[in-house]
Amino acid sequence: MSTTQANKIEINKVATSKINQVDFDNLNFGSVFTDHLLECDFKNGEWQTPVIKPYAPFLLDPSARVFHYGQAIFEGMKAYKDEQDSIWLFRPDENFNRFNSSAVRMAMPEVPEEVFMNGLNELLKLDHEWIKKGLGNTLYIRPFLIATGEGVIANPSEDYKFMIILSPAKAYYSGEVKVLIAEHYSRAANGGIGAAKTAGNYAGQFYPTSLANKQGFQQIIWTDDATHTKLEEAGTMNVFFRINDTLFTAPVSERILDGVTRKSLIDMAKKEGLDIEVRPVLVSELVEASKNGSLKEIFGAGTAAVISPIAGFSYRDEYYELPKVSDSFAMILKEKLTNMQHKLIEDTYGWTVKVS
Ligand SMILES: *Cc1c(COP(=O)(O)O)cnc(C)c1O
């Protein structure tokens, strides 16, 4: 792979920014994009020169493999602005490495670090005005890679397109989240693609989730595909359970995505002196804990919502409501993590990385 071309970035700026048309107080998550995007094509076995250019639709051949065989991966990250107007990323190396693990699993070329990291840094510097200061204001970063090669032949593509798009976001409150524990559908299986951040994992969730929505549940808690007895993920987030004063989360596996939020919360819980156990949690344990009153909290963890508390769960037509706890672990951890990301408290972990 040629790194000489990937090292330099071509920059074509917009004539006029559209930032003044954006109402930053009323942003629907993931629906507004900044002025520019980063694009880098993979052709003839080589990464081409990355280009930063105005955000716009683009053309693809109708036979492009991404449309037919779903060779598509992505990442979700955020940028934050501190009180001194510096821009920060949170553990970006984790996203970069996971992106390339996903690429390998989907038989796609790995993206060079210069393209991903330098490209992202340059893009953020150019669109820096889109990152607002203050807790709760973030810029959601969506890197993705798609197979653009032509031909409806069921082989991996020869050509690919890597892009990064940016979307300003407000902290979002998901409201009351009631979840349904999966007994039939599965998100992932051993030997499958559950550990990769690939488009198809999301597409496969839409239908079972819509069925759950019709029953009045906002999300599904996925269980292991073989026995449906182990709790694995909440929608597209990792999931934590608090029984008495111990926090539990499942170990990552081929079926569970290795979330950056999840691993950060585990380390933070340890440092904060909270009791945390990483081990498979059974549906039966959860039901039992709810019945005897020891189940205190369930929450999802992921970059977009950070932490999403769950109000109750349904299993085998029985609804189990969670108590309202005042000393919520979810809130303690969320506050600490978001304050650290916004540089409002010291980052004693070395997780925050300055964009320069
Ligand atoms: C992205 C994702 C997560 C959360 O990962 P973060 O790195 O914390 O954002 C969890 N589960 C699934 C299935 C995901 O796709």
Side-chain angles (χ1 to χ4, degrees):
M1 137 193 353
S2 151
T3 51
T4 45
Q5 285 184 343
N7 262 331
K8 43 181 199 280
I9 301 177
E10 208 179 291
I11 300 182
N12 307 320
K13 292 187 194 170
V14 291
T16 37
S17 173
K18 60 187 183 216
I19 196 165
N20 292 330
Q21 298 159 28
V22 176
D23 178 0
F24 280 84
D25 293 323
N26 293 293
L27 291 166
N28 284 328
F29 186 82
S31 60
V32 171
F33 296 92
T34 65
D35 289 324
H36 302 92
L37 57 74
L38 177 95
E39 178 182 63
C40 188
D41 287 329
F42 184 84
K43 261 188 248 163
N44 306 319
E46 276 197 319
W47 286 100
Q48 308 298 305
T49 305
V51 184
I52 287 176
K53 60 185 198 180
Y55 184 98
F58 59 94
L59 288 174
L60 281 184
D61 194 272
S63 73
R65 304 290 163 84
V66 62
F67 300 135
H68 305 273
Y69 307 116
Q71 255 190 313
I73 60 164
F74 65 93
E75 265 305 324
M77 318 164 63
K78 278 177 176 172
Y80 313 83
K81 196 175 263 178
D82 68 16
E83 292 308 307
Q84 289 73 45
D85 283 324
S86 294
I87 303 167
W88 296 84
L89 293 167
F90 184 73
R91 309 184 81 175
D93 48 323
E94 294 281 345
N95 297 93
F96 169 69
N97 291 332
R98 188 171 68 190
F99 193 72
N100 280 339
S101 310
S102 299
V104 169
R105 181 62 186 82
M106 302 309 286
M108 301 169 98
E110 292 177 61
V111 175
E113 189 164 358
E114 312 86 77
V115 174
F116 191 108
M117 289 299 184
N118 297 350
L120 176 57
N121 276 8
E122 291 309 314
L123 185 61
L124 288 172
K125 282 192 278 181
L126 189 58
D127 282 344
H128 68 95
E129 281 179 29
W130 293 79
I131 316 174
K132 301 296 177 190
K133 280 192 268 204
L135 201 58
N137 294 322
T138 63
L139 186 70
Y140 185 76
I141 302 165
R142 171 54 61 89
F144 63 102
L145 177 65
I146 54 170
T148 51
E150 298 167 13
V152 288
I153 312 139
N155 282 334
S157 174
E158 305 246 299
D159 301 339
Y160 295 88
K161 189 184 284 297
F162 171 67
M163 280 191 161
I164 303 178
I165 54 175
L166 308 172
S167 177
K170 276 270 177 203
Y172 72 62
Y173 297 100
S174 31
E176 177 118 309
V177 178
K178 294 179 182 168
V179 296
L180 184 66
I181 296 183
E183 284 198 86
H184 171 70
Y185 292 103
S186 301
R187 194 194 76 86
N190 284 336
I193 53 174
K197 234 174 154 67
T198 182
N201 283 337
Y202 281 67
Q205 266 187 236
F206 292 161
Y207 177 65
T209 305
S210 73
L211 295 181
N213 292 161
K214 278 183 199 141
Q215 291 178 259
F217 302 101
Q218 286 72 43
Q219 272 307 344
I220 292 180
I221 291 199
W222 300 104
T223 50
D224 68 294
D225 62 298
T227 67
H228 294 292
T229 57
K230 290 181 228 160
L231 298 155
E232 308 225 300
E233 296 215 52
T236 57
M237 304 178 96
N238 294 113
V239 65
F240 288 75
F241 310 93
R242 174 181 164 197
I243 298 174
N244 288 321
D245 280 336
T246 306
L247 212 46
F248 296 90
T249 193
V252 291
S253 70
E254 284 188 298
R255 302 184 306 269
I256 299 182
L257 193 117
D258 188 3
V260 181
T261 316
R262 173 190 172 279
K263 74 171 74 166
S264 304
L265 293 180
I266 293 172
D267 288 352
M268 286 169 60
K270 283 182 185 157
K271 208 161 173 173
E272 290 291 300
L274 301 178
D275 210 10
I276 171 124
E277 277 187 41
V278 178
R279 65 149 171 89
V281 183
L282 302 175
V283 181
S284 57
E285 278 181 272
L286 197 69
V287 168
E288 183 56 34
S290 179
K291 283 182 177 160
N292 70 26
S294 59
L295 181 66
K296 306 288 188 218
E297 293 177 64
I298 306 178
F299 57 86
T303 297
V306 190
I307 283 181
S308 168
I310 289 166
F313 68 93
S314 173
Y315 181 64
R316 300 208 165 141
D317 297 327
E318 197 86 47
Y319 184 68
Y320 302 85
E321 187 146 316
L322 281 141
K324 308 252 177 298
V325 289
S326 51
D327 54 342
S328 149
F329 284 11
M331 286 308 117
I332 294 172
L333 291 169
K334 181 174 182 172
E335 199 181 308
K336 191 113 197 161
L337 182 58
T338 52
N339 276 314
M340 196 195 307
Q341 289 168 331
H342 284 89
K343 305 300 286 181
L344 296 169
I345 57 167
E346 198 194 342
D347 166 16
T348 52
Y349 301 84
W351 287 338
T352 49
V353 178
K354 197 170 176 170
V355 173
S356 55

